[in-house]
Amino acid sequence: DSGVTQTPKHLITATGQRVTLRCSPRSGDLSVYWYQQSLDQGLQFLIQYYNGEERAKGNILERFSAQQFPDLHSELNLSSLELGDSALYFCASSPTSGYADTQYFGPGTRLTVL
Amino acid sequence: KNQVEQSPQSLIILEGKNCTLQCNYTVSPFSNLRWYKQDTGRGPVSLTIMTFSENTKSNGRYTATLDADTKQSSLHITASQLSDSASYICVVTLNTNAGKSTFGDGTTLTVKP
């Protein structure tokens, strides 16, 4: 158990809908990262937040957005969902935004768009 | 384009044997290279992290090496166990930002009894 929690574990929805994925980092960790893992593309970095502020952005679509709240939990919002958004979404946390920090991954949320 | 290439794509070995997985990268400027183990349907678990100046790092039966000149890394697993069956992912991070990482597609290792 990494100490990172993600909810829900599974999510099934329809195209065009909007969903919110939630992540609670390990106690004391200030950075939260979001990743997408689909069958045909492997793991891709989406976005990082550090202590409430956006720190780095990867291949995140404009239909997706994220935020980190004062209690350091984070939410990833996915809107106008398409079939291709079906994937595992992982959240990870680390103590700081340091380059060599170990990132601890949560169990993931499996999103299925029908 | 920054890339991370892993080989082989998949590997089957017998329990107790050793194996070596490869990772070649073109990511620049380089900050660090990580190896993760990912069991099917679960989140990746960090095995090793190496910065530019390190050329070897061990974690139990896992030993990673890094040659920053040739931009190659390897992960050596000794005395394999059935529980080593997983995907092993190489990740290279830019030195401009901690969050921007490029992931390899992984090597799927199967350890058979």
Side-chain angles (χ1 to χ4, degrees):
Chain A
D1 184 1
S2 66
V4 178
T5 61
Q6 290 187 249
T7 57
K9 191 166 185 173
H10 300 278
L11 197 48
I12 301 175
T13 188
T15 54
Q17 294 298 305
R18 173 190 169 92
V19 297
T20 297
L21 312 183
R22 182 188 169 105
C23 168
S24 293
R26 293 187 327 149
S27 176
D29 283 359
L30 299 179
S31 266
V32 169
Y33 310 77
W34 285 99
Y35 296 91
Q36 179 193 56
Q37 186 173 38
S38 54
L39 280 176
D40 59 346
Q41 289 202 350
L43 266 163
Q44 288 199 81
F45 165 69
L46 295 178
I47 197 164
Q48 176 200 2
Y49 278 82
Y50 173 69
N51 205 20
E53 307 232 337
E54 183 184 303
R55 177 79 175 180
K57 208 173 231 187
N59 301 319
I60 188 167
L61 300 172
E62 284 193 14
R63 300 183 285 109
F64 296 0
S65 65
Q67 54 184 327
Q68 186 180 27
F69 295 87
D71 67 352
L72 301 177
H73 90 271
S74 178
E75 293 181 354
L76 178 67
N77 300 296
L78 316 176
S79 61
S80 302
L81 285 167
E82 301 174 359
L83 295 177
D85 297 328
S86 295
L88 262 171
Y89 291 84
F90 288 106
C91 163
S93 74
S94 67
T96 71
S97 63
Y99 298 159
D101 267 9
T102 295
Q103 293 182 24
Y104 297 87
F105 282 75
T109 292
R110 183 175 292 280
L111 174 66
T112 303
V113 182
L114 301 176
Chain B
K1 180 182 175 184
N2 288 327
Q3 285 193 327
V4 177
E5 302 284 343
Q6 292 188 242
S7 62
Q9 190 172 18
S10 61
L11 183 61
I12 300 174
I13 62 173
L14 292 176
E15 187 179 13
K17 298 296 186 184
N18 303 334
C19 67
T20 299
L21 314 180
Q22 300 289 343
C23 173
N24 297 335
Y25 63 93
T26 60
V27 172
S28 180
F30 169 88
S31 170
N32 61 70
L33 186 146
R34 306 163 188 252
W35 283 94
Y36 286 96
K37 177 187 178 189
Q38 185 177 23
D39 293 315
T40 302
R42 306 192 69 170
V45 175
S46 180
L47 295 176
T48 62
I49 303 172
M50 287 182 293
T51 60
F52 182 87
S53 58
E54 296 175 295
N55 52 27
T56 187
K57 185 72 72 79
S58 291
N59 178 359
R61 296 180 296 103
Y62 302 100
T63 299
T65 63
L66 172 64
D67 186 332
D69 292 332
T70 62
K71 297 187 177 178
Q72 296 180 324
S73 176
S74 64
L75 180 70
H76 187 71
I77 305 174
T78 58
S80 61
Q81 301 175 358
L82 298 178
S83 59
D84 291 332
S85 295
S87 179
Y88 291 84
I89 303 170
C90 174
V91 185
V92 182
T93 299
L94 295 173
N95 73 359
T96 55
N97 193 301
K100 275 192 173 282
S101 298
T102 302
F103 287 73
D105 289 336
T107 292
T108 301
L109 174 66
T110 303
V111 180
K112 294 198 166 182

